[in-house]
Amino acid sequence: MNRAVYEDSVVPTSAAEASRAMAGDTSLSENYAFAGMYHVFDQHVDEAVPRVRFANDDRHRLACCSLDGSISLCQLVPAPPTVLRVLRGHTRGVSDFAWSLSNDILVSTSLDATMRIWASDDGRCIREIPDPDGAELLCCTFQPVNNNLTVVGNAKHNVHVMNISTGKKVKGGSSKLTGRVLALSFDAPGRLLWAGDDRGSVFSFLFDMATGKLTKAKRLVVHEGSPVTSISARSWVSREARDPSLLINTCLNKLLLYRVVDNEGTLQLKRSFPIEQSSHPVRSIFCPLMSFRQGACVVTGSEDMCVHFFDVERAAKAAVNKLQGHSAPVLDVSFNCDESLLASSDASGMVIVWRREQK
């Protein structure tokens, strides 16, 4: 096997003093102690909010999509936090969305079988693109190096690479999975794409940077019949764990951490963590600054209505923190760029922004 190599990734070392100072040279538990709720958004109450995301490299801009068919853009500073604008146009629930690298546009997918491109500054819908198969669209992600390309997954088991400038799918950029496509994630260089479906499989694809063509590489059956609801890729986890990794939620009451062992995306299970997830589309994330700390932390939603923090490097007692405040299953979590704020969304439409304790 070819060991996975990320020659353009910066790997932290124990001598990363500036980075450690930024993260705080304290224990993981201290770093992830939260002082409580900063704000609660309830503009989508009564319909689930499946996705909440801070803008890239941004501390105070947050967006969330709802099964009520809309996306709201929120500003957390200056106080009080406000909903800047609501993006309306989809005729059914919005299943997923993504910020472009420069945060000037958002792409969204919907159960109405369309994806939409939005201007974030004024909320304008720039383009509406029908799914090539006329199927419900369930997830999306930008190609990290070329934001003109977006990958979408649909209910007819297909992954499509879409050119958002032309509104057309890329030639050779489509592939079929074994089930409804629920989760997508690129590695940082944009050369590997992973897709998870509702039959319990995760597929890896080689992405041709020049053409946008997908080549199916590997398939892992996580657990037959257990939907894979979230995939997050990371080039390295910490200075103690430098292997490329994948964080996966599946309806097995477990959060799973895999090691990526070669350049074709072959996966090897490293750790699992107990959460409650048997039926909801729960998601998880790697913490953005964790690579410079002792240990390494991941955060996940859960059907027990809590937000859970786990140290992936700790052999025993991996649970670092648990936030309580939601009254429905927690579906998604998102950190801002400096980890001062964490947002979580739930199945009842509530979005809570949590504030980290100031040292």
Side-chain angles (χ1 to χ4, degrees), residues 167-199:
K168 299 189 181 330
K169 69 176 179 178
V170 172
K171 186 177 181 181
S174 297
S175 190
K176 204 168 194 70
L177 276 61
T178 51
R180 291 158 53 93
V181 186
L182 303 180
L184 295 164
S185 183
F186 273 102
D187 67 352
R191 301 188 200 107
L192 269 175
L193 171 74
W194 285 275
D197 66 28
D198 68 348
R199 302 284 178 85

Side-chain angles (χ1 to χ4, degrees), residues 3 11-16 20 25 28 235-245 257 259 270 289-297 311-314:
R3 186 169 176 76
V11 178
T13 70
S14 55
R20 232 190 6 262
D25 208 2
L28 212 63
S235 296
W236 32 255
V237 175
S238 73
R239 59 178 182 264
E240 289 84 22
R242 299 186 185 183
D243 291 317
S245 299
L257 180 71
R259 182 183 289 113
K270 182 178 177 182
L289 297 183
M290 69 183 192
S291 306
F292 308 114
R293 295 194 171 104
Q294 299 292 339
C297 200
D311 181 351
V312 300
E313 294 299 298
R314 196 183 290 180

Side-chain angles (χ1 to χ4, degrees), residues 44-286:
H44 299 295
V45 75
D46 298 330
E47 290 282 0
V49 173
R51 177 66 96 174
V52 59
R53 285 184 165 185
F54 277 95
N56 296 304
D57 297 322
D58 198 303
R59 294 176 63 192
H60 301 129
R61 237 187 328 168
L62 180 73
C64 47
C65 68
S66 171
L67 295 187
D68 67 11
S70 68
I71 304 162
S72 50
L73 305 183
C74 309
Q75 186 76 32
L76 301 179
V77 170
T82 56
V83 178
L84 290 176
R85 59 188 59 86
V86 179
L87 313 183
R88 292 188 172 91
H90 283 298
T91 56
R92 292 185 62 197
V94 181
S95 54
D96 198 3
F97 76 94
W99 292 92
S100 66
L101 199 57
S102 57
N103 299 321
D104 56 339
I105 63 170
L106 290 91
V107 64
S108 61
T109 53
S110 170
L111 305 182
D112 67 8
T114 70
M115 62 183 290
R116 283 179 178 249
I117 318 300
W118 309 87
S120 61
D121 58 348
D122 59 8
R124 204 165 31 91
C125 180
I126 299 169
R127 176 172 276 115
E128 179 183 1
I129 304 172
D131 176 62
D133 306 314
E136 293 179 342
L137 282 168
L138 307 175
C139 53
C140 61
T141 187
F142 274 105
Q143 210 289 335
V145 177
N146 180 1
N147 272 193
N148 196 42
L149 300 179
T150 302
V151 183
V152 297
N154 72 22
K156 288 190 176 175
H157 308 185
N158 286 323
V159 170
H160 296 298
V161 181
M162 306 296 296
N163 184 314
I164 63 173
S165 294
T166 64
K168 299 189 181 330
K169 69 176 179 178
V170 172
K171 186 177 181 181
S174 297
S175 190
K176 204 168 194 70
L177 276 61
T178 51
R180 291 158 53 93
V181 186
L182 303 180
L184 295 164
S185 183
F186 273 102
D187 67 352
R191 301 188 200 107
L192 269 175
L193 171 74
W194 285 275
D197 66 28
D198 68 348
R199 302 284 178 85
S201 290
V202 174
F203 291 82
S204 67
F205 296 91
L206 306 178
F207 187 91
D208 187 311
M209 304 293 282
T211 65
K213 182 183 176 184
L214 290 178
T215 303
K216 195 177 285 185
K218 300 291 182 179
R219 178 191 175 195
L220 170 75
V221 180
V222 178
H223 190 270
E224 193 70 50
S226 297
V228 173
T229 61
S230 177
I231 303 175
S232 296
R234 191 69 178 250
S235 296
W236 32 255
V237 175
S238 73
R239 59 178 182 264
E240 289 84 22
R242 299 186 185 183
D243 291 317
S245 299
L246 223 58
L247 191 63
I248 291 176
N249 285 86
T250 185
C251 294
L252 280 173
N253 294 312
K254 289 177 186 175
L255 175 65
L256 304 171
L257 180 71
Y258 285 87
R259 182 183 289 113
V260 183
V261 299
D262 62 24
N263 286 324
E264 292 194 335
T266 303
L267 300 175
Q268 181 183 80
L269 184 64
K270 182 178 177 182
R271 294 288 305 276
S272 71
F273 309 94
I275 63 168
E276 288 187 27
Q277 185 188 2
S278 59
S279 60
H280 286 78
V282 171
R283 298 180 188 270
S284 58
I285 52 168
F286 288 103

